[in-house]
Amino acid sequence: MEKAKLGNISYGEQYINTRRNAIRKELIKTSKNIDSGVIDTISDEDLKILFYLYDKYFFENYFINNFKGTINFALSRRMSKSAGSTTALKSNWAMPEEKEKYEIKIGVNFLFQYYELSREKTVAGIKTEDSLHALLITFEHELIHLIEFYLFGNSSCKKRRFKTMAENFFGHKGVYHSLITKSEILSSNYGLKIGDKVSFVHKNKIKYGYIYRINKRATIYFLDRKGIYIDSKGNRYLKAYISLELLKKE
Ligand SMILES: [Zn+2]
């Protein structure tokens, strides 16, 4: 395959599913960590294996045979919203390909937390069957970013070019995921969600407020005469970070 043709790949649904299944089986066979559809341990090396499997099954080994730059693969424990990210560390039309450098990162928490809530989880508009399936679809999304960067020097999954490629390459129907986030687990454990009216004790007084955000603790805006945040009705609020177990739903 020539570089220019990389952008024009278009496969049918059955072809995509067959190839994706082959990748899945081969990854399980090759990986030192992944031995089923349930991922409980994974390394950067697994992402590299995955990349060359996609290269073989979807890109006619274009990358292993032709690409002269560098691609790093890394797992991240810090990603809390995006399940993956791709950056072009050095991408410039005038530069020789040898100097091009890309990085694909996968948010590993989304894989480990996959089973914490038993609801449907989609990635890129595809209903996922298990955490390995979620990894594959997330990885595919990142591969489109990589190829866009490589071919055009920029990439955005909000734009039409990306969406067309994602649909043609991998049958993706969307660009978002509904995998389980840490804040969703916390809210579900404590029965609290963003926007809820809550009370808590602050300096020996009961305070009333709203949940604005949930991370490790909840961000609360609570009514207080000395508040510096003022709503449209003139109510004054202060902000506090409170552990979820100290909040009472009103
Ligand atoms: Zn994206």
Side-chain angles (χ1 to χ4, degrees), residues 183 186-187 190-200 209-222 238-248:
S183 81
L186 286 171
S187 356
Y190 291 96
L192 296 166
K193 60 182 189 309
I194 288 162
D196 279 352
K197 196 176 179 192
V198 289
S199 66
F200 60 98
Y210 294 92
I211 300 180
Y212 177 70
R213 184 181 291 143
I214 299 177
N215 288 325
K216 280 183 187 123
R217 289 179 297 169
T219 307
I220 312 288
Y221 284 96
F222 63 94
L238 281 174
K239 185 161 78 169
Y241 302 99
I242 313 281
S243 293
L244 290 159
E245 68 268 22
L246 301 177
L247 293 171
K248 192 168 152 262

PDB file of all heavy atoms in Angstrom, residues 183 186-187 190-200 209-222 238-248:
ATOM      1  N   SER A 183     -15.806   8.927  38.586  1.00  0.00           N
ATOM      2  CA  SER A 183     -16.819   9.740  39.250  1.00  0.00           C
ATOM      3  C   SER A 183     -18.187   9.058  39.175  1.00  0.00           C
ATOM      4  O   SER A 183     -18.989   9.158  40.079  1.00  0.00           O
ATOM      5  CB  SER A 183     -16.849  11.159  38.695  1.00  0.00           C
ATOM      6  OG  SER A 183     -17.570  11.214  37.508  1.00  0.00           O
ATOM      7  N   LEU A 186     -18.157   6.459  41.975  1.00  0.00           N
ATOM      8  CA  LEU A 186     -18.360   7.126  43.267  1.00  0.00           C
ATOM      9  C   LEU A 186     -19.816   7.547  43.435  1.00  0.00           C
ATOM     10  O   LEU A 186     -20.428   7.281  44.464  1.00  0.00           O
ATOM     11  CB  LEU A 186     -17.438   8.348  43.380  1.00  0.00           C
ATOM     12  CG  LEU A 186     -15.968   8.054  43.631  1.00  0.00           C
ATOM     13  CD1 LEU A 186     -15.146   9.325  43.502  1.00  0.00           C
ATOM     14  CD2 LEU A 186     -15.770   7.433  45.013  1.00  0.00           C
ATOM     15  N   SER A 187     -20.387   8.183  42.417  1.00  0.00           N
ATOM     16  CA  SER A 187     -21.776   8.628  42.567  1.00  0.00           C
ATOM     17  C   SER A 187     -22.698   7.445  42.780  1.00  0.00           C
ATOM     18  O   SER A 187     -23.629   7.513  43.563  1.00  0.00           O
ATOM     19  CB  SER A 187     -22.311   9.435  41.393  1.00  0.00           C
ATOM     20  OG  SER A 187     -21.386   9.685  40.448  1.00  0.00           O
ATOM     21  N   TYR A 190     -22.517   6.068  46.355  1.00  0.00           N
ATOM     22  CA  TYR A 190     -23.102   6.915  47.390  1.00  0.00           C
ATOM     23  C   TYR A 190     -24.492   7.425  47.012  1.00  0.00           C
ATOM     24  O   TYR A 190     -25.090   8.199  47.745  1.00  0.00           O
ATOM     25  CB  TYR A 190     -22.176   8.098  47.688  1.00  0.00           C
ATOM     26  CG  TYR A 190     -20.907   7.668  48.367  1.00  0.00           C
ATOM     27  CD1 TYR A 190     -19.750   7.448  47.637  1.00  0.00           C
ATOM     28  CD2 TYR A 190     -20.878   7.446  49.745  1.00  0.00           C
ATOM     29  CE1 TYR A 190     -18.583   7.022  48.252  1.00  0.00           C
ATOM     30  CE2 TYR A 190     -19.721   7.020  50.371  1.00  0.00           C
ATOM     31  CZ  TYR A 190     -18.576   6.810  49.620  1.00  0.00           C
ATOM     32  OH  TYR A 190     -17.430   6.382  50.234  1.00  0.00           O
ATOM     33  N   GLY A 191     -24.999   7.010  45.881  1.00  0.00           N
ATOM     34  CA  GLY A 191     -26.320   7.454  45.446  1.00  0.00           C
ATOM     35  C   GLY A 191     -26.381   8.951  45.180  1.00  0.00           C
ATOM     36  O   GLY A 191     -27.426   9.574  45.309  1.00  0.00           O
ATOM     37  N   LEU A 192     -25.253   9.533  44.813  1.00  0.00           N
ATOM     38  CA  LEU A 192     -25.217  10.984  44.575  1.00  0.00           C
ATOM     39  C   LEU A 192     -24.802  11.265  43.142  1.00  0.00           C
ATOM     40  O   LEU A 192     -24.017  10.533  42.568  1.00  0.00           O
ATOM     41  CB  LEU A 192     -24.190  11.638  45.514  1.00  0.00           C
ATOM     42  CG  LEU A 192     -24.488  11.549  47.010  1.00  0.00           C
ATOM     43  CD1 LEU A 192     -23.245  11.924  47.802  1.00  0.00           C
ATOM     44  CD2 LEU A 192     -25.650  12.447  47.390  1.00  0.00           C
ATOM     45  N   LYS A 193     -25.364  12.333  42.597  1.00  0.00           N
ATOM     46  CA  LYS A 193     -24.928  12.719  41.260  1.00  0.00           C
ATOM     47  C   LYS A 193     -24.828  14.246  41.143  1.00  0.00           C
ATOM     48  O   LYS A 193     -25.337  14.970  42.015  1.00  0.00           O
ATOM     49  CB  LYS A 193     -25.855  12.143  40.191  1.00  0.00           C
ATOM     50  CG  LYS A 193     -27.295  12.588  40.322  1.00  0.00           C
ATOM     51  CD  LYS A 193     -28.150  11.924  39.249  1.00  0.00           C
ATOM     52  CE  LYS A 193     -29.539  12.486  39.179  1.00  0.00           C
ATOM     53  NZ  LYS A 193     -30.261  12.557  40.466  1.00  0.00           N
ATOM     54  N   ILE A 194     -24.183  14.684  40.086  1.00  0.00           N
ATOM     55  CA  ILE A 194     -24.006  16.114  39.857  1.00  0.00           C
ATOM     56  C   ILE A 194     -25.372  16.791  39.788  1.00  0.00           C
ATOM     57  O   ILE A 194     -26.290  16.261  39.172  1.00  0.00           O
ATOM     58  CB  ILE A 194     -23.180  16.340  38.577  1.00  0.00           C
ATOM     59  CG1 ILE A 194     -21.717  15.935  38.858  1.00  0.00           C
ATOM     60  CG2 ILE A 194     -23.245  17.781  38.102  1.00  0.00           C
ATOM     61  CD1 ILE A 194     -20.893  15.700  37.635  1.00  0.00           C
ATOM     62  N   GLY A 195     -25.514  17.928  40.454  1.00  0.00           N
ATOM     63  CA  GLY A 195     -26.778  18.669  40.460  1.00  0.00           C
ATOM     64  C   GLY A 195     -27.640  18.373  41.684  1.00  0.00           C
ATOM     65  O   GLY A 195     -28.577  19.113  41.963  1.00  0.00           O
ATOM     66  N   ASP A 196     -27.326  17.293  42.402  1.00  0.00           N
ATOM     67  CA  ASP A 196     -28.140  16.952  43.584  1.00  0.00           C
ATOM     68  C   ASP A 196     -28.034  18.032  44.653  1.00  0.00           C
ATOM     69  O   ASP A 196     -26.966  18.614  44.870  1.00  0.00           O
ATOM     70  CB  ASP A 196     -27.659  15.625  44.202  1.00  0.00           C
ATOM     71  CG  ASP A 196     -28.212  14.419  43.466  1.00  0.00           C
ATOM     72  OD1 ASP A 196     -29.078  14.609  42.594  1.00  0.00           O
ATOM     73  OD2 ASP A 196     -27.764  13.291  43.768  1.00  0.00           O
ATOM     74  N   LYS A 197     -29.172  18.224  45.334  1.00  0.00           N
ATOM     75  CA  LYS A 197     -29.183  19.129  46.484  1.00  0.00           C
ATOM     76  C   LYS A 197     -28.732  18.324  47.703  1.00  0.00           C
ATOM     77  O   LYS A 197     -29.243  17.223  47.931  1.00  0.00           O
ATOM     78  CB  LYS A 197     -30.602  19.667  46.687  1.00  0.00           C
ATOM     79  CG  LYS A 197     -30.643  20.869  47.587  1.00  0.00           C
ATOM     80  CD  LYS A 197     -32.049  21.448  47.687  1.00  0.00           C
ATOM     81  CE  LYS A 197     -32.001  22.633  48.636  1.00  0.00           C
ATOM     82  NZ  LYS A 197     -33.352  23.069  49.010  1.00  0.00           N
ATOM     83  N   VAL A 198     -27.777  18.854  48.436  1.00  0.00           N
ATOM     84  CA  VAL A 198     -27.219  18.106  49.570  1.00  0.00           C
ATOM     85  C   VAL A 198     -27.047  19.017  50.787  1.00  0.00           C
ATOM     86  O   VAL A 198     -27.043  20.243  50.668  1.00  0.00           O
ATOM     87  CB  VAL A 198     -25.833  17.504  49.226  1.00  0.00           C
ATOM     88  CG1 VAL A 198     -25.958  16.360  48.234  1.00  0.00           C
ATOM     89  CG2 VAL A 198     -24.877  18.573  48.712  1.00  0.00           C
ATOM     90  N   SER A 199     -26.881  18.366  51.939  1.00  0.00           N
ATOM     91  CA  SER A 199     -26.519  19.127  53.131  1.00  0.00           C
ATOM     92  C   SER A 199     -25.297  18.475  53.764  1.00  0.00           C
ATOM     93  O   SER A 199     -25.012  17.294  53.522  1.00  0.00           O
ATOM     94  CB  SER A 199     -27.667  19.154  54.127  1.00  0.00           C
ATOM     95  OG  SER A 199     -27.903  17.849  54.608  1.00  0.00           O
ATOM     96  N   PHE A 200     -24.584  19.260  54.544  1.00  0.00           N
ATOM     97  CA  PHE A 200     -23.415  18.738  55.252  1.00  0.00           C
ATOM     98  C   PHE A 200     -23.104  19.686  56.407  1.00  0.00           C
ATOM     99  O   PHE A 200     -23.611  20.812  56.458  1.00  0.00           O
ATOM    100  CB  PHE A 200     -22.212  18.616  54.315  1.00  0.00           C
ATOM    101  CG  PHE A 200     -21.785  19.914  53.697  1.00  0.00           C
ATOM    102  CD1 PHE A 200     -20.726  20.644  54.231  1.00  0.00           C
ATOM    103  CD2 PHE A 200     -22.441  20.417  52.579  1.00  0.00           C
ATOM    104  CE1 PHE A 200     -20.342  21.843  53.662  1.00  0.00           C
ATOM    105  CE2 PHE A 200     -22.062  21.625  52.013  1.00  0.00           C
ATOM    106  CZ  PHE A 200     -21.006  22.338  52.549  1.00  0.00           C
ATOM    107  N   GLY A 209     -26.437  22.954  49.857  1.00  0.00           N
ATOM    108  CA  GLY A 209     -25.834  23.332  48.583  1.00  0.00           C
ATOM    109  C   GLY A 209     -26.107  22.320  47.478  1.00  0.00           C
ATOM    110  O   GLY A 209     -26.953  21.445  47.621  1.00  0.00           O
ATOM    111  N   TYR A 210     -25.372  22.480  46.381  1.00  0.00           N
ATOM    112  CA  TYR A 210     -25.535  21.619  45.214  1.00  0.00           C
ATOM    113  C   TYR A 210     -24.202  20.993  44.841  1.00  0.00           C
ATOM    114  O   TYR A 210     -23.153  21.611  44.981  1.00  0.00           O
ATOM    115  CB  TYR A 210     -26.020  22.446  44.020  1.00  0.00           C
ATOM    116  CG  TYR A 210     -27.399  22.992  44.228  1.00  0.00           C
ATOM    117  CD1 TYR A 210     -27.586  24.259  44.790  1.00  0.00           C
ATOM    118  CD2 TYR A 210     -28.516  22.233  43.878  1.00  0.00           C
ATOM    119  CE1 TYR A 210     -28.859  24.758  44.994  1.00  0.00           C
ATOM    120  CE2 TYR A 210     -29.789  22.727  44.079  1.00  0.00           C
ATOM    121  CZ  TYR A 210     -29.960  23.989  44.637  1.00  0.00           C
ATOM    122  OH  TYR A 210     -31.213  24.468  44.837  1.00  0.00           O
ATOM    123  N   ILE A 211     -24.281  19.747  44.363  1.00  0.00           N
ATOM    124  CA  ILE A 211     -23.067  19.095  43.860  1.00  0.00           C
ATOM    125  C   ILE A 211     -22.758  19.648  42.473  1.00  0.00           C
ATOM    126  O   ILE A 211     -23.602  19.599  41.570  1.00  0.00           O
ATOM    127  CB  ILE A 211     -23.228  17.571  43.775  1.00  0.00           C
ATOM    128  CG1 ILE A 211     -23.519  17.004  45.163  1.00  0.00           C
ATOM    129  CG2 ILE A 211     -21.964  16.933  43.184  1.00  0.00           C
ATOM    130  CD1 ILE A 211     -23.695  15.492  45.174  1.00  0.00           C
ATOM    131  N   TYR A 212     -21.567  20.163  42.341  1.00  0.00           N
ATOM    132  CA  TYR A 212     -21.153  20.755  41.072  1.00  0.00           C
ATOM    133  C   TYR A 212     -20.283  19.771  40.278  1.00  0.00           C
ATOM    134  O   TYR A 212     -20.344  19.703  39.057  1.00  0.00           O
ATOM    135  CB  TYR A 212     -20.384  22.036  41.350  1.00  0.00           C
ATOM    136  CG  TYR A 212     -19.841  22.718  40.133  1.00  0.00           C
ATOM    137  CD1 TYR A 212     -20.703  23.344  39.228  1.00  0.00           C
ATOM    138  CD2 TYR A 212     -18.472  22.732  39.881  1.00  0.00           C
ATOM    139  CE1 TYR A 212     -20.213  23.963  38.101  1.00  0.00           C
ATOM    140  CE2 TYR A 212     -17.972  23.347  38.754  1.00  0.00           C
ATOM    141  CZ  TYR A 212     -18.839  23.967  37.863  1.00  0.00           C
ATOM    142  OH  TYR A 212     -18.349  24.577  36.756  1.00  0.00           O
ATOM    143  N   ARG A 213     -19.474  19.012  41.011  1.00  0.00           N
ATOM    144  CA  ARG A 213     -18.551  18.085  40.336  1.00  0.00           C
ATOM    145  C   ARG A 213     -18.228  16.963  41.308  1.00  0.00           C
ATOM    146  O   ARG A 213     -18.263  17.161  42.517  1.00  0.00           O
ATOM    147  CB  ARG A 213     -17.274  18.849  39.970  1.00  0.00           C
ATOM    148  CG  ARG A 213     -16.286  18.019  39.182  1.00  0.00           C
ATOM    149  CD  ARG A 213     -15.038  18.786  38.867  1.00  0.00           C
ATOM    150  NE  ARG A 213     -15.245  19.859  37.918  1.00  0.00           N
ATOM    151  CZ  ARG A 213     -14.620  21.044  37.973  1.00  0.00           C
ATOM    152  NH1 ARG A 213     -13.786  21.303  38.949  1.00  0.00           N
ATOM    153  NH2 ARG A 213     -14.856  21.959  37.061  1.00  0.00           N
ATOM    154  N   ILE A 214     -17.926  15.770  40.777  1.00  0.00           N
ATOM    155  CA  ILE A 214     -17.497  14.687  41.658  1.00  0.00           C
ATOM    156  C   ILE A 214     -16.173  14.138  41.151  1.00  0.00           C
ATOM    157  O   ILE A 214     -16.091  13.626  40.036  1.00  0.00           O
ATOM    158  CB  ILE A 214     -18.543  13.538  41.712  1.00  0.00           C
ATOM    159  CG1 ILE A 214     -19.877  14.063  42.266  1.00  0.00           C
ATOM    160  CG2 ILE A 214     -18.029  12.387  42.580  1.00  0.00           C
ATOM    161  CD1 ILE A 214     -20.989  13.044  42.287  1.00  0.00           C
ATOM    162  N   ASN A 215     -15.133  14.320  41.953  1.00  0.00           N
ATOM    163  CA  ASN A 215     -13.869  13.647  41.677  1.00  0.00           C
ATOM    164  C   ASN A 215     -13.628  12.707  42.847  1.00  0.00           C
ATOM    165  O   ASN A 215     -14.485  11.928  43.177  1.00  0.00           O
ATOM    166  CB  ASN A 215     -12.731  14.649  41.497  1.00  0.00           C
ATOM    167  CG  ASN A 215     -12.870  15.394  40.176  1.00  0.00           C
ATOM    168  OD1 ASN A 215     -13.317  14.826  39.192  1.00  0.00           O
ATOM    169  ND2 ASN A 215     -12.501  16.655  40.158  1.00  0.00           N
ATOM    170  N   LYS A 216     -12.459  12.815  43.506  1.00  0.00           N
ATOM    171  CA  LYS A 216     -12.282  12.022  44.719  1.00  0.00           C
ATOM    172  C   LYS A 216     -13.232  12.549  45.783  1.00  0.00           C
ATOM    173  O   LYS A 216     -13.815  11.812  46.546  1.00  0.00           O
ATOM    174  CB  LYS A 216     -10.834  12.082  45.198  1.00  0.00           C
ATOM    175  CG  LYS A 216      -9.969  11.130  44.407  1.00  0.00           C
ATOM    176  CD  LYS A 216      -8.551  11.096  44.896  1.00  0.00           C
ATOM    177  CE  LYS A 216      -7.695  10.271  43.968  1.00  0.00           C
ATOM    178  NZ  LYS A 216      -6.560  11.009  43.442  1.00  0.00           N
ATOM    179  N   ARG A 217     -13.350  13.872  45.838  1.00  0.00           N
ATOM    180  CA  ARG A 217     -14.362  14.498  46.687  1.00  0.00           C
ATOM    181  C   ARG A 217     -15.337  15.251  45.790  1.00  0.00           C
ATOM    182  O   ARG A 217     -15.071  15.460  44.615  1.00  0.00           O
ATOM    183  CB  ARG A 217     -13.681  15.474  47.666  1.00  0.00           C
ATOM    184  CG  ARG A 217     -12.883  14.753  48.739  1.00  0.00           C
ATOM    185  CD  ARG A 217     -12.199  15.714  49.676  1.00  0.00           C
ATOM    186  NE  ARG A 217     -11.216  16.534  48.979  1.00  0.00           N
ATOM    187  CZ  ARG A 217     -10.622  17.600  49.516  1.00  0.00           C
ATOM    188  NH1 ARG A 217     -10.919  17.970  50.742  1.00  0.00           N
ATOM    189  NH2 ARG A 217      -9.740  18.290  48.831  1.00  0.00           N
ATOM    190  N   ALA A 218     -16.459  15.666  46.395  1.00  0.00           N
ATOM    191  CA  ALA A 218     -17.426  16.427  45.604  1.00  0.00           C
ATOM    192  C   ALA A 218     -17.155  17.915  45.759  1.00  0.00           C
ATOM    193  O   ALA A 218     -16.784  18.382  46.845  1.00  0.00           O
ATOM    194  CB  ALA A 218     -18.842  16.106  46.069  1.00  0.00           C
ATOM    195  N   THR A 219     -17.305  18.648  44.684  1.00  0.00           N
ATOM    196  CA  THR A 219     -17.247  20.105  44.753  1.00  0.00           C
ATOM    197  C   THR A 219     -18.660  20.600  45.000  1.00  0.00           C
ATOM    198  O   THR A 219     -19.573  20.295  44.235  1.00  0.00           O
ATOM    199  CB  THR A 219     -16.740  20.687  43.421  1.00  0.00           C
ATOM    200  OG1 THR A 219     -15.519  20.036  43.091  1.00  0.00           O
ATOM    201  CG2 THR A 219     -16.522  22.194  43.528  1.00  0.00           C
ATOM    202  N   ILE A 220     -18.845  21.337  46.103  1.00  0.00           N
ATOM    203  CA  ILE A 220     -20.178  21.798  46.491  1.00  0.00           C
ATOM    204  C   ILE A 220     -20.214  23.317  46.508  1.00  0.00           C
ATOM    205  O   ILE A 220     -19.298  23.950  47.035  1.00  0.00           O
ATOM    206  CB  ILE A 220     -20.524  21.326  47.939  1.00  0.00           C
ATOM    207  CG1 ILE A 220     -20.225  19.847  48.134  1.00  0.00           C
ATOM    208  CG2 ILE A 220     -21.973  21.676  48.296  1.00  0.00           C
ATOM    209  CD1 ILE A 220     -21.162  18.935  47.442  1.00  0.00           C
ATOM    210  N   TYR A 221     -21.261  23.883  45.961  1.00  0.00           N
ATOM    211  CA  TYR A 221     -21.548  25.299  46.184  1.00  0.00           C
ATOM    212  C   TYR A 221     -22.641  25.360  47.236  1.00  0.00           C
ATOM    213  O   TYR A 221     -23.715  24.785  47.036  1.00  0.00           O
ATOM    214  CB  TYR A 221     -21.997  25.975  44.892  1.00  0.00           C
ATOM    215  CG  TYR A 221     -20.840  26.250  43.965  1.00  0.00           C
ATOM    216  CD1 TYR A 221     -20.504  25.376  42.944  1.00  0.00           C
ATOM    217  CD2 TYR A 221     -20.058  27.401  44.137  1.00  0.00           C
ATOM    218  CE1 TYR A 221     -19.427  25.614  42.117  1.00  0.00           C
ATOM    219  CE2 TYR A 221     -18.983  27.654  43.308  1.00  0.00           C
ATOM    220  CZ  TYR A 221     -18.666  26.758  42.303  1.00  0.00           C
ATOM    221  OH  TYR A 221     -17.596  27.008  41.478  1.00  0.00           O
ATOM    222  N   PHE A 222     -22.364  25.995  48.385  1.00  0.00           N
ATOM    223  CA  PHE A 222     -23.379  26.035  49.445  1.00  0.00           C
ATOM    224  C   PHE A 222     -23.712  27.470  49.810  1.00  0.00           C
ATOM    225  O   PHE A 222     -22.894  28.387  49.678  1.00  0.00           O
ATOM    226  CB  PHE A 222     -22.903  25.248  50.681  1.00  0.00           C
ATOM    227  CG  PHE A 222     -21.673  25.794  51.355  1.00  0.00           C
ATOM    228  CD1 PHE A 222     -21.779  26.682  52.425  1.00  0.00           C
ATOM    229  CD2 PHE A 222     -20.400  25.418  50.939  1.00  0.00           C
ATOM    230  CE1 PHE A 222     -20.652  27.177  53.063  1.00  0.00           C
ATOM    231  CE2 PHE A 222     -19.264  25.911  51.572  1.00  0.00           C
ATOM    232  CZ  PHE A 222     -19.382  26.792  52.627  1.00  0.00           C
ATOM    233  N   LEU A 238     -20.601  29.781  48.751  1.00  0.00           N
ATOM    234  CA  LEU A 238     -19.179  29.479  48.887  1.00  0.00           C
ATOM    235  C   LEU A 238     -18.941  28.096  48.290  1.00  0.00           C
ATOM    236  O   LEU A 238     -19.870  27.304  48.150  1.00  0.00           O
ATOM    237  CB  LEU A 238     -18.752  29.472  50.361  1.00  0.00           C
ATOM    238  CG  LEU A 238     -18.512  30.844  51.007  1.00  0.00           C
ATOM    239  CD1 LEU A 238     -18.248  30.657  52.497  1.00  0.00           C
ATOM    240  CD2 LEU A 238     -17.320  31.553  50.351  1.00  0.00           C
ATOM    241  N   LYS A 239     -17.699  27.828  47.996  1.00  0.00           N
ATOM    242  CA  LYS A 239     -17.349  26.539  47.400  1.00  0.00           C
ATOM    243  C   LYS A 239     -16.617  25.699  48.433  1.00  0.00           C
ATOM    244  O   LYS A 239     -15.825  26.227  49.212  1.00  0.00           O
ATOM    245  CB  LYS A 239     -16.449  26.783  46.188  1.00  0.00           C
ATOM    246  CG  LYS A 239     -16.118  25.532  45.414  1.00  0.00           C
ATOM    247  CD  LYS A 239     -15.642  25.843  44.007  1.00  0.00           C
ATOM    248  CE  LYS A 239     -14.205  26.317  43.962  1.00  0.00           C
ATOM    249  NZ  LYS A 239     -13.681  26.354  42.575  1.00  0.00           N
ATOM    250  N   ALA A 240     -16.895  24.407  48.467  1.00  0.00           N
ATOM    251  CA  ALA A 240     -16.161  23.515  49.373  1.00  0.00           C
ATOM    252  C   ALA A 240     -15.939  22.166  48.699  1.00  0.00           C
ATOM    253  O   ALA A 240     -16.689  21.784  47.793  1.00  0.00           O
ATOM    254  CB  ALA A 240     -16.955  23.321  50.663  1.00  0.00           C
ATOM    255  N   TYR A 241     -14.903  21.477  49.132  1.00  0.00           N
ATOM    256  CA  TYR A 241     -14.629  20.122  48.641  1.00  0.00           C
ATOM    257  C   TYR A 241     -14.915  19.159  49.787  1.00  0.00           C
ATOM    258  O   TYR A 241     -14.273  19.224  50.825  1.00  0.00           O
ATOM    259  CB  TYR A 241     -13.178  19.993  48.193  1.00  0.00           C
ATOM    260  CG  TYR A 241     -12.820  20.983  47.122  1.00  0.00           C
ATOM    261  CD1 TYR A 241     -12.154  22.169  47.430  1.00  0.00           C
ATOM    262  CD2 TYR A 241     -13.177  20.746  45.798  1.00  0.00           C
ATOM    263  CE1 TYR A 241     -11.859  23.097  46.450  1.00  0.00           C
ATOM    264  CE2 TYR A 241     -12.881  21.662  44.807  1.00  0.00           C
ATOM    265  CZ  TYR A 241     -12.216  22.846  45.133  1.00  0.00           C
ATOM    266  OH  TYR A 241     -11.926  23.751  44.152  1.00  0.00           O
ATOM    267  N   ILE A 242     -15.908  18.320  49.613  1.00  0.00           N
ATOM    268  CA  ILE A 242     -16.375  17.475  50.715  1.00  0.00           C
ATOM    269  C   ILE A 242     -16.345  16.002  50.293  1.00  0.00           C
ATOM    270  O   ILE A 242     -16.721  15.669  49.168  1.00  0.00           O
ATOM    271  CB  ILE A 242     -17.847  17.832  51.086  1.00  0.00           C
ATOM    272  CG1 ILE A 242     -18.049  19.349  51.219  1.00  0.00           C
ATOM    273  CG2 ILE A 242     -18.297  17.085  52.341  1.00  0.00           C
ATOM    274  CD1 ILE A 242     -17.568  19.952  52.506  1.00  0.00           C
ATOM    275  N   SER A 243     -15.910  15.157  51.230  1.00  0.00           N
ATOM    276  CA  SER A 243     -15.946  13.715  50.954  1.00  0.00           C
ATOM    277  C   SER A 243     -17.391  13.265  50.785  1.00  0.00           C
ATOM    278  O   SER A 243     -18.274  13.724  51.504  1.00  0.00           O
ATOM    279  CB  SER A 243     -15.331  12.934  52.114  1.00  0.00           C
ATOM    280  OG  SER A 243     -13.968  13.206  52.182  1.00  0.00           O
ATOM    281  N   LEU A 244     -17.597  12.344  49.849  1.00  0.00           N
ATOM    282  CA  LEU A 244     -18.964  11.940  49.539  1.00  0.00           C
ATOM    283  C   LEU A 244     -19.702  11.348  50.737  1.00  0.00           C
ATOM    284  O   LEU A 244     -20.899  11.543  50.896  1.00  0.00           O
ATOM    285  CB  LEU A 244     -18.946  10.933  48.386  1.00  0.00           C
ATOM    286  CG  LEU A 244     -18.547  11.550  47.053  1.00  0.00           C
ATOM    287  CD1 LEU A 244     -18.062  10.499  46.097  1.00  0.00           C
ATOM    288  CD2 LEU A 244     -19.723  12.292  46.448  1.00  0.00           C
ATOM    289  N   GLU A 245     -18.962  10.644  51.622  1.00  0.00           N
ATOM    290  CA  GLU A 245     -19.652  10.002  52.754  1.00  0.00           C
ATOM    291  C   GLU A 245     -20.165  11.028  53.762  1.00  0.00           C
ATOM    292  O   GLU A 245     -20.980  10.707  54.620  1.00  0.00           O
ATOM    293  CB  GLU A 245     -18.768   8.941  53.427  1.00  0.00           C
ATOM    294  CG  GLU A 245     -17.549   9.470  54.159  1.00  0.00           C
ATOM    295  CD  GLU A 245     -16.297   9.506  53.273  1.00  0.00           C
ATOM    296  OE1 GLU A 245     -16.432   9.522  52.026  1.00  0.00           O
ATOM    297  OE2 GLU A 245     -15.188   9.536  53.839  1.00  0.00           O
ATOM    298  N   LEU A 246     -19.717  12.284  53.670  1.00  0.00           N
ATOM    299  CA  LEU A 246     -20.179  13.315  54.600  1.00  0.00           C
ATOM    300  C   LEU A 246     -21.386  14.095  54.063  1.00  0.00           C
ATOM    301  O   LEU A 246     -21.911  14.980  54.728  1.00  0.00           O
ATOM    302  CB  LEU A 246     -19.039  14.292  54.903  1.00  0.00           C
ATOM    303  CG  LEU A 246     -17.779  13.673  55.529  1.00  0.00           C
ATOM    304  CD1 LEU A 246     -16.703  14.723  55.710  1.00  0.00           C
ATOM    305  CD2 LEU A 246     -18.102  13.001  56.863  1.00  0.00           C
ATOM    306  N   LEU A 247     -21.818  13.746  52.865  1.00  0.00           N
ATOM    307  CA  LEU A 247     -22.934  14.476  52.262  1.00  0.00           C
ATOM    308  C   LEU A 247     -24.247  13.751  52.496  1.00  0.00           C
ATOM    309  O   LEU A 247     -24.317  12.525  52.445  1.00  0.00           O
ATOM    310  CB  LEU A 247     -22.717  14.608  50.754  1.00  0.00           C
ATOM    311  CG  LEU A 247     -21.557  15.487  50.315  1.00  0.00           C
ATOM    312  CD1 LEU A 247     -21.341  15.340  48.822  1.00  0.00           C
ATOM    313  CD2 LEU A 247     -21.807  16.947  50.676  1.00  0.00           C
ATOM    314  N   LYS A 248     -25.285  14.517  52.747  1.00  0.00           N
ATOM    315  CA  LYS A 248     -26.619  13.942  52.889  1.00  0.00           C
ATOM    316  C   LYS A 248     -27.481  14.510  51.772  1.00  0.00           C
ATOM    317  O   LYS A 248     -27.504  15.713  51.545  1.00  0.00           O
ATOM    318  CB  LYS A 248     -27.182  14.322  54.258  1.00  0.00           C
ATOM    319  CG  LYS A 248     -28.425  13.560  54.624  1.00  0.00           C
ATOM    320  CD  LYS A 248     -28.754  13.766  56.097  1.00  0.00           C
ATOM    321  CE  LYS A 248     -30.235  13.632  56.311  1.00  0.00           C
ATOM    322  NZ  LYS A 248     -30.980  14.889  56.366  1.00  0.00           N
TER     323      LYS A 248
END
